[in-house]
DNA sequence: GTCTATAGAAGGATAGAC
DNA sequence: GTCTATCCTTCTATAGAC
């Protein structure tokens, strides 16, 4: 009895981890049960013994990965600091998080896009709906000082999140225009610099926003 | 004899269009030759008669769609106006373009991410490599006035492009946090408002950037 | 050029032995 | 709980008639 389809069974865990890697790398359609079995070092039949079907194995993996992403974002936004500090904290910590999970953005974005219903179960489980309101209430005075109305929050939040997420999702596309980004060290440096660039960029814009 | 694998044959064109739709919607792995044939109103065997294999059909489609995206961006950035005006023009026109091709971003991003080599052929064909330099040279004085160094250009360009592209790529993800975005009209309004929000946001940040 | 029929391979899933 | 063997469906691709 453990969280979201993962018990403490050693084999189950090995399968789950292998499946996470393969699905994250190849996506649902591109993943092969055989490859997952190989990576887990067990037989294909065992996958079905533990997870019944490819669909169910995928859902178990997907939900954990989606939750991982959202919880990271939510935890940072929930911190008890000023909005200004929150921007800097978010970009610092979220880029650190994504640098350890660089394929997570494109995986989640693509799978949800191809099949939006896979996330419906989570909308209720994790009540992120009122995030915007919570965030605005918490920083109402500060945000009004920046000329940010409640109705501006979606635009602002999408902008902030895209600063960290987009470069990972679009890395190979970016590399077409900037081939130096193919180099891991260069890209790493780019993202390290982005922490400050993006923070300054956002805060600077907010600071001088006409009200 | 026509561009990138598309002749003027009526059937070939029907197939090509059907394939574009299906691949864009489901991706390479998720697409089925049968479904493409059905959509084109012809037989499966004809697909192979005209395009030999799924791979080759996909490549023909992919190259055209990638080119479509890049040429749009390049055309706007090549305009003979100030950088400031360029930002506003880009966000206006690119969001218009994407609102007509909403699935293009996630399709391109995902396919390139899953198989980076599919774009290698294009890196030489379309010489976008020196885009950053071109753009910087053209607006050197203006950009220096904003405190933007040449080495800041990648950060700035990624930021600008993400403003229009990210919301489309992440639409379903955004909808988890903001369910109202599931409504097409609402999303359309959101993107219309984003033209101004993002333009102001960027220009405001540049204008007051410390040098 | 276009179709029907089918080959051939791959992949998900299950039966049954241990 | 784990394995081997195999079933069955799906999918790409081709052969061959018209």
């Amino acid at each position: 009895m453990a969280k979201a389809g993962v018990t403490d069974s050693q084999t189950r865990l090995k399968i789950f981890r292998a499946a996470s890697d393969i699905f994250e790398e190849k996506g649902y359609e591109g993943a092969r049960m055989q490859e997952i079995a190989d990576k887990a070092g067990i037989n294909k039949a065992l996958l079905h013994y533990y997870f019944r079907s490819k669909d169910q194995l995928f859902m178990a993996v997907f939900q954990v990965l989606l939750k991982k992403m959202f919880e990271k974002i939510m935890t940072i936004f929930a911190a008890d600091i000023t909005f200004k500090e929150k921007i800097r904290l978010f970009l610092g910590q979220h880029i650190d998080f994504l640098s350890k999970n660089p394929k997570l953005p494109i995986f989640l974005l693509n799978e949800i896009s191809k099949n939006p219903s896979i996330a419906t179960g989570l909308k209720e489980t994790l009540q992120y709906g009122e995030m915007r309101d919570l965030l605005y209430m918490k920083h109402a005075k500060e945000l009004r000082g920046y000329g940010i109305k409640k109705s501006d929050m979606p635009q602002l939040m999408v902008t902030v999140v895209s600063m960290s997420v987009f470069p990972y999702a679009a890395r190979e596309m970016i590399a077409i225009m900037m081939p130096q980004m193919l180099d891991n060290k260069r890209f790493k440096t780019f993202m390290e610099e982005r922490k400050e660039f993006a923070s300054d960029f956002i805060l600077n814009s907010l600071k001088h926003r006409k009200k």
Side-chain angles (χ1 to χ4, degrees), chain A:
Chain A
M1 226 92 333
K3 54 171 183 178
V6 189
T7 74
D8 49 3
S9 151
Q10 273 309 301
T11 304
R12 192 183 178 85
L13 198 58
K14 276 198 305 185
I15 292 172
F16 186 84
R17 288 196 175 127
S20 298
D21 288 352
I22 301 292
F23 278 130
E24 199 179 334
E25 189 185 331
K26 314 227 165 154
Y28 175 80
E29 294 285 358
R32 297 291 169 254
M33 294 296 266
Q34 185 62 61
E35 202 180 354
I36 294 173
D38 290 349
K39 181 148 201 166
I42 50 90
N43 191 277
K44 216 172 39 155
L46 263 193
L47 298 184
H48 291 91
Y49 175 79
Y50 279 99
F51 290 93
R52 194 81 198 155
S53 68
K54 185 184 182 184
D55 265 54
Q56 289 188 40
L57 175 53
F58 176 77
M59 282 307 295
V61 166
F62 180 78
Q63 297 210 8
V64 168
L65 293 185
L66 183 62
K67 209 171 167 188
K68 192 172 163 184
M69 178 70 133
F70 268 75
E71 276 180 353
K72 188 68 200 173
I73 296 178
M74 294 305 137
T75 304
I76 303 172
F77 275 136
D80 205 14
I81 51 182
T82 68
F83 188 81
K84 195 179 147 180
E85 290 167 336
K86 209 166 270 191
I87 295 294
R88 238 172 248 288
L89 181 74
F90 174 78
L91 288 165
Q93 294 204 176
H94 201 230
I95 285 173
D96 281 343
F97 169 74
L98 292 176
S99 80
K100 285 177 210 127
N101 303 275
K103 290 184 210 141
L104 196 52
I106 192 66
F107 167 72
L108 294 176
L109 258 30
N110 185 54
E111 297 301 332
I112 296 188
S113 162
K114 295 305 191 265
N115 182 11
S117 67
I118 54 175
T120 42
L122 290 167
K123 277 183 209 161
E124 296 98 45
T125 312
L126 327 163
Q127 335 89 308
Y128 297 137
E130 65 285 1
M131 188 62 202
R132 173 187 53 152
D133 299 355
L134 274 176
L135 205 59
Y136 190 74
M137 280 195 298
K138 205 164 186 172
H139 303 284
K141 197 179 294 180
E142 187 182 354
L143 285 166
R144 274 200 304 274
Y146 295 139
I148 295 286
K149 298 188 299 285
K150 193 171 178 179
S151 63
D152 294 324
M153 286 302 281
Q155 296 286 359
L156 181 57
M157 285 174 70
V158 168
T159 301
V160 172
V161 173
S162 78
M163 286 284 189
S164 56
V165 173
F166 181 76
Y168 288 96
R171 175 170 177 185
E172 297 292 340
M173 184 71 87
I174 292 170
I176 294 178
M177 303 183 74
M178 311 171 189
Q180 71 274 27
M181 288 303 172
L182 285 173
D183 179 64
N184 282 329
K185 286 222 177 82
R186 285 266 199 143
F187 184 70
K188 186 105 183 141
T189 304
F190 178 79
M191 291 312 301
E192 279 303 315
E193 289 172 356
R194 194 160 181 79
K195 292 177 183 175
E196 195 186 347
F197 177 89
S199 299
D200 289 349
F201 195 87
I202 293 169
L203 293 175
N204 204 33
S205 185
L206 288 179
K207 196 168 160 189
H208 299 96
R209 199 177 151 88
K210 27 194 179 307
K211 285 121 205 177

